[in-house]
Amino acid sequence: MAAPRAPLHLVTPVWNRGTRGTRGLSRAVAPEGSQKKGRSLLQFLADRFYDVQALREYLLRKQVLKVHQKNRPFTYIRERFGPHAAGAYFILKQGGAVKFQGKEWIRSDARGHFSLDFLKFQAVPVEAVDASGCAINYQGLDSVCEWAETAGLFICPSVVGSRKDHSASPPPPTVALKELQSLWLQRCPHVDDWCLGRLHPLANSLQELSLAGCPRISERGLASLHHLQNLRRLDISDLPAVSNPGLTRILVEEMLPSCQVLGADWAQGLPSGPEEQSRDTASPLPA
Amino acid sequence: MLRRALQPGLSRGVLGRGLGTHRGRSTLGKVEGSGGYRGSWVAPVSSYVTFRTRDPTHDGKTVGRLGEGDQNGKVSEIKKKIQSVLPRGAWNPLRDTSYLPPEHSDVVIVGGGVIGLSVAYWLKRLEKPQGAIRVLVVERDHTYSQASTALSVGGIRQQFSVPENIQLSLFSVEFLRNINEYLAVVDDPPLDIQFNPSGYLLLASEKGAAVMESNVKVQRQEGAKVCLMSPEQLRNKFPWINTEGVALASYGMEHEGWFDPWCLLQGLRRKVQSMGVLFCHGEVTRFVSSSSHTETTSGEEVTLRRIHEVHAQEEMYLSRCPVCGPGPPSPPPLVPAGEDGPQPGVPACGMCPRDQCGRGLVWPDRRAGWCREGAPWHPAGHPAPCGAEEKGPGLETPFVIDASGAYFRREGLGNNYLGGCSPTEEEEPDPGNLEVDHDFFQDKVWPPLAQRVPAFETLKVRSAWAGYYDYNTFDQNGVVGPHPLVVNMYFATGFSGHGLQQAPAVGRAVAEMVLDGHFRTINLSPFLFNRFYLGEKVQEHNII
């Protein structure tokens, strides 16, 4: 029932560079055909030598650790400058952009540098976050939502979720403040269904969410968006892992009645005769 | 070619040390020249394969001391080693017997379902140094046609009443979320367990409302994201629900849902095979053990046993074509050597001296699931063909468990639902028969669900199946840990319907117990076998 995906082989660029110099750097997710020759040699060697196998496993683990390293929480900054600044720093470090309430967008430049002026903003809430293309995963989103929770952005009156690491009693329910309103997670390679389940603390404030082009999001994760009752714009176009885009869009529209859902046309996927309908990718969100 | 030459060498134990890599401790045990095991010259003729176990790390749990009789053992060991090097010994360069299970191994795991594979995985992952122990998994049906794992509904939740269960479930969620880091195999595609993070919704009537509230308090303390909802909030959130008779509901916001258990099983299998765990396709028939008599501190006589051999009836020539299983399920296979007769479902517990504790503890329970098509659904903007119809639960439907015990969840996008109910102990059908009883659906499953969700009055049954619960009749909680009288046997069973969702965490706990002798991460001492002797129930109330 799920959409068939090309098998993602975790190829390590470092190793390929070592064996075949002419091949050059290969991407982490490579289509199967081009890598067949190289991989069968590697596989041959890995099947016969424990050392080669161990080395390949080590390189694979290193790749995974790299993503974890990018998503580490910045606890010092959070303690010193507050949760809003910490979250903004995290997003900017990943290569995204942040907009504080009443201020302009802050982005990092091509070399990854950004100004640290925002650290001076005390308790100015973050209004919009653009994490498109960033390597943010569940752990990173966890820290973003955590600072949203502790900043009192949103606590559902019937949920007083205390975590194990907070030794104090759970924070008292506060009136929901209009704070994080837009979250753009377009083309993020590590955002998956688990991450969507993590967004429920932002329910009272989030009005715009964009998930276009994320390769790991499927209709199962979209089902958990029903917590976000204040959502007004949702972009779920171009999700390759969704098995039936048209039907999914209709179901999501039913689930979130006051939300405008940008996605595939509902007629797409219906048998339409010998001609294949061209894929209708939604236009990018208006600025 | 190089690898094949390596393998028989490695299986020789001390003598087959391998090329330059330190493989840790040698596997202990005695080599027998009877054939039928890896490295044998003679073709296997008998249908019995014997292999021995010895757990060198187990220590210190016994009351008295066990005499080993080392002197004689050493001499015969040396003799056997010499024999194995000479022609007609264990080393055999010409015949490839690598498909046969080994003669001896350090740990033998009976049962290759999700719990057994999880234990194997964590043993291999936590062993120090890497490659130190040899693990063998004995599974009687490689197609898993009647295994609880394959027939499970696949839900995972933290809404339990016992804190240890909540912790197990939380760790398992973390394992599943990072499954492609835990179970990554180089060059194999990543796993997609198809997790639906839709949450669980438990409904309680007036009677159960107070219990539910205290349960939710415990759950929140452990870190589960659960909230309580009043009937009005329920109606607002899920308009398709009929809240008549519902006093309180608990809803899991995160880390709860359902997934594909088959994918988890295959992922574990693939990973443990790559880590070097060996498989035996057969059914364990008996244990051969030695016993020693000791005295407790109060002067009572106690018999301690140590298992030396595990006998398994192997399916001949089926290890290469695992298509046909060994036949209809037999009653639980373990007939302990000479002790109290076989207790149904009790995994080799016949060695305990007092016979009232072991009887009927863990029972294969049958429960059935039905896949149903809901009310016909129409895309927005299209007229319904035959008048107004109740709209079925949509995409946001959680796993709903009614106060009566019936449950259902959404399945896929096509307005299909999966539901079922566990029979009570009085209505329990014959465990040997997995035929679906459709009358049970008509009488016990459909009425409460149709009352709860009015749209279900028009549903049609599409398919049905029945599966087993490893039901612990004592307190519906798992049995984890060592047997107090059998020195080298450990349990991981009796999870009464939530084995799948606790499998990763239980596997780790058992591996820690086997390797270190105590629980390290999650303390499962309330689930030890001793509670049956002491009569201390750790009752789990939230059982589906």
Side-chain angles (χ1 to χ4, degrees):
Chain A
M1 184 111 187
R5 283 188 288 173
L8 303 169
H9 288 257
L10 297 167
V11 173
T12 56
V14 177
W15 181 246
N16 277 330
R17 195 162 52 205
T19 46
R20 305 262 168 179
T22 53
R23 197 184 302 281
L25 270 180
S26 54
R27 293 182 302 280
V29 173
E32 221 177 311
S34 64
Q35 298 292 334
K36 254 201 177 125
K37 273 195 199 157
R39 192 171 304 120
S40 62
L41 167 70
L42 291 173
Q43 217 160 0
F44 178 85
L45 290 175
D47 282 344
R48 277 144 184 83
F49 294 105
Y50 289 109
D51 306 325
V52 174
Q53 184 187 23
L55 182 64
R56 291 201 77 199
E57 281 173 6
Y58 167 72
L59 292 171
L60 183 62
R61 263 200 322 271
K62 231 174 74 150
Q63 241 190 351
V64 165
L65 281 176
K66 219 163 74 168
V67 177
H68 277 285
Q69 178 68 2
K70 278 199 165 172
N71 282 283
R72 67 195 188 282
F74 297 106
T75 40
Y76 171 72
I77 298 184
R78 188 165 120 213
E79 277 158 33
R80 180 104 155 75
F81 296 104
H84 298 281
Y89 185 84
F90 173 77
I91 299 287
L92 286 166
K93 196 96 170 122
Q94 291 246 335
V98 173
K99 181 178 187 313
F100 282 88
Q101 205 169 53
K103 317 272 181 197
E104 291 298 316
W105 278 96
I106 307 177
R107 278 180 198 278
S108 52
D109 62 12
R111 296 175 71 188
H113 298 158
F114 49 89
S115 88
L116 291 173
D117 294 338
F118 65 91
L119 293 176
K120 295 199 285 281
F121 306 154
Q122 294 287 349
V124 177
V126 173
E127 200 176 54
V129 164
D130 178 9
S132 302
C134 296
I136 191 170
N137 67 0
Y138 180 88
Q139 199 189 350
L141 212 57
D142 198 26
S143 50
V144 167
C145 290
E146 200 185 334
W147 64 251
E149 273 178 329
T150 53
L153 274 189
F154 168 70
I155 296 177
C156 164
S158 58
V159 174
V160 185
S162 64
R163 286 149 160 271
K164 259 209 128 155
D165 46 357
H166 291 181
S167 52
S169 58
T174 62
V175 176
L177 308 165
K178 287 204 178 354
E179 301 206 15
L180 186 67
Q181 293 176 7
S182 307
L183 180 60
W184 295 346
L185 294 169
Q186 293 170 354
R187 299 176 311 277
C188 292
H190 300 288
V191 166
D192 56 11
D193 296 335
W194 298 88
C195 299
L196 295 186
R198 192 67 190 85
L199 291 180
H200 66 91
L202 303 175
N204 247 26
S205 59
L206 200 64
Q207 291 180 6
E208 189 181 329
L209 177 64
S210 169
L211 301 168
C214 293
R216 292 197 189 183
I217 291 186
S218 69
E219 66 273 11
R220 302 177 285 273
L222 296 177
S224 62
L225 291 181
H226 75 277
H227 294 286
L228 307 173
Q229 285 299 324
N230 274 339
L231 210 56
R232 296 288 167 263
R233 290 217 326 242
L234 174 65
D235 184 359
I236 51 171
S237 52
D238 195 25
L239 294 176
V242 169
S243 54
N244 199 334
L247 179 59
T248 308
R249 179 185 160 194
I250 298 170
L251 290 173
V252 171
E253 279 177 355
E254 296 248 320
M255 195 170 75
L256 296 169
S258 51
C259 177
Q260 180 200 8
V261 177
L262 288 162
D265 192 15
W266 70 263
Q268 181 184 337
L270 293 180
S272 60
E275 268 179 63
E276 217 187 49
Q277 283 183 356
S278 59
R279 196 166 170 81
D280 174 29
T281 52
S283 53
L285 287 174
Chain B
M1 218 172 67
L2 201 60
R3 190 171 176 78
R4 290 222 197 97
L6 279 179
Q7 269 202 342
L10 283 175
S11 71
R12 272 188 298 157
V14 172
L15 296 174
R17 201 25 81 194
L19 302 174
T21 48
H22 288 284
R23 288 306 182 135
R25 283 174 295 198
S26 63
T27 52
L28 307 174
K30 300 184 176 137
V31 174
E32 252 184 15
S34 64
Y37 55 85
R38 184 176 297 195
S40 72
W41 179 264
V42 181
V45 288
S46 68
S47 63
Y48 277 86
V49 171
T50 66
F51 41 91
R52 295 199 171 95
T53 67
R54 190 178 300 188
D55 186 359
T57 56
H58 182 80
D59 193 22
K61 284 226 76 110
T62 61
V63 171
R65 293 204 182 276
L66 297 175
E68 290 275 33
D70 270 340
Q71 294 297 345
N72 289 337
K74 275 196 189 136
V75 169
S76 53
E77 241 183 68
I78 295 172
K79 253 202 241 171
K80 294 279 164 64
K81 275 177 201 159
I82 295 173
Q83 258 181 13
S84 67
V85 183
L86 296 173
R88 294 192 78 82
W91 187 54
N92 175 16
L94 292 185
R95 183 189 298 277
D96 177 22
T97 49
S98 57
Y99 64 94
L100 289 172
E103 150 75 4
H104 49 256
S105 71
D106 294 303
V107 181
V108 173
I109 297 175
V110 179
V114 71
I115 301 253
L117 291 181
S118 173
V119 173
Y121 169 76
W122 283 103
L123 275 172
K124 274 302 185 182
R125 196 182 145 113
L126 297 177
E127 63 181 357
K128 294 239 169 353
Q130 214 181 21
I133 57 177
R134 178 180 284 177
V135 180
L136 178 73
V137 173
V138 183
E139 166 60 40
R140 69 173 171 205
D141 179 11
H142 281 207
T143 62
Y144 296 98
S145 53
Q146 298 199 330
S148 302
T149 308
L151 300 172
S152 159
V153 180
I156 181 163
R157 60 183 163 110
Q158 283 86 52
Q159 297 187 45
F160 293 106
S161 55
V162 175
E164 281 77 17
N165 278 335
I166 305 171
Q167 289 171 22
L168 289 174
S169 189
L170 280 172
F171 175 73
S172 302
V173 157
E174 198 250 310
F175 183 92
L176 291 175
R177 191 172 65 231
N178 298 314
I179 195 169
N180 281 312
E181 290 164 25
Y182 283 105
L183 302 185
V185 177
V186 178
D187 281 338
D188 274 351
L191 289 170
D192 178 17
I193 53 165
Q194 314 219 335
F195 180 68
N196 286 268
S198 296
Y200 264 66
L201 180 70
L202 268 68
L203 305 173
S205 56
E206 281 293 334
K207 272 193 312 179
V211 173
M212 176 176 271
E213 227 179 292
S214 61
N215 284 348
V216 168
K217 200 158 150 231
V218 171
Q219 287 151 24
R220 286 220 204 115
Q221 261 170 357
E222 296 293 326
K225 306 273 174 65
V226 184
C227 70
L228 285 168
M229 294 173 86
S230 65
E232 198 186 307
Q233 281 171 326
L234 255 189
R235 274 195 296 272
N236 286 343
K237 204 155 174 83
F238 305 116
W240 38 262
I241 211 170
N242 167 23
T243 53
E244 186 190 322
V246 173
L248 197 61
S250 73
Y251 182 42
M253 313 273 282
E254 215 190 317
H255 298 319
E256 292 191 346
W258 58 91
F259 63 97
D260 179 14
W262 181 255
C263 179
L264 175 64
L265 190 68
Q266 293 306 313
L268 274 171
R269 220 182 141 91
R270 195 181 71 178
K271 179 68 178 173
V272 300
Q273 274 177 338
S274 83
M275 288 166 119
V277 169
L278 304 163
F279 281 82
C280 169
H281 187 178
E283 194 172 323
V284 174
T285 48
R286 66 188 189 113
F287 294 141
V288 169
S289 55
S290 66
S291 62
S292 76
H293 297 270
T294 55
E295 269 189 16
T296 62
T297 43
S298 52
E300 243 177 67
E301 265 276 325
V302 146
T303 308
L304 292 170
R305 291 183 171 271
R306 189 180 192 94
I307 299 178
H308 291 283
E309 290 180 24
V310 177
H311 288 230
Q313 179 160 8
E314 212 192 8
E315 289 297 322
M316 294 308 300
Y317 307 118
L318 283 181
S319 51
R320 290 201 187 181
C321 46
V323 175
C324 33
S330 48
L334 299 167
V335 179
E339 284 303 295
D340 330 309
Q343 318 284 345
V346 174
C349 182
M351 318 231 188
C352 51
R354 292 195 229 160
D355 54 10
Q356 67 256 34
C357 67
R359 203 150 299 166
L361 274 181
V362 177
W363 204 279
D365 186 344
R366 223 197 65 181
R367 63 125 181 86
W370 279 267
C371 179
R372 303 169 331 266
E373 199 172 79
W377 168 92
H378 315 284
H382 287 234
C386 37
E389 251 158 336
E390 296 266 1
K391 211 166 57 152
L395 197 59
E396 75 278 7
T397 314
F399 197 124
V400 180
I401 305 177
D402 191 38
S404 59
Y407 53 84
F408 77 93
R409 67 159 169 89
R410 174 182 60 84
E411 168 73 21
L413 292 179
N415 224 30
N416 291 322
Y417 305 93
L418 217 73
C421 184
S422 278
T424 57
E425 289 191 33
E426 295 82 38
E427 305 168 322
E428 181 61 42
D430 171 28
N433 176 22
L434 270 186
E435 282 290 315
V436 178
D437 181 8
H438 289 278
D439 294 329
F440 183 77
F441 175 77
Q442 294 289 338
D443 301 329
K444 292 280 158 42
V445 179
W446 192 36
L449 289 183
Q451 197 241 338
R452 192 56 62 213
V453 182
F456 281 172
E457 302 199 351
T458 51
L459 57 77
K460 304 186 284 280
V461 175
R462 283 180 66 180
S463 64
W465 78 94
Y468 287 115
Y469 266 18
D470 214 6
Y471 195 76
N472 183 351
T473 52
F474 188 63
D475 56 12
Q476 286 90 63
N477 262 325
V479 184
V480 180
H483 192 297
L485 296 176
V486 181
V487 160
N488 55 350
M489 185 160 87
Y490 299 86
F491 289 113
T493 181
F495 293 100
S496 315
H498 36 96
L500 174 68
Q501 55 190 280
Q502 294 177 344
V506 163
R508 186 176 64 166
V510 173
E512 286 167 359
M513 180 53 94
V514 169
L515 295 171
D516 303 326
H518 56 270
F519 295 118
R520 267 231 199 113
T521 43
I522 304 177
N523 184 13
L524 295 183
S525 18
F527 291 166
L528 287 176
F529 189 86
N530 294 335
R531 71 186 197 270
F532 300 130
Y533 283 115
L534 304 170
E536 287 171 359
K537 282 197 186 191
V538 184
Q539 186 75 34
E540 172 59 55
H541 298 285
N542 282 0
I543 293 288
I544 304 178

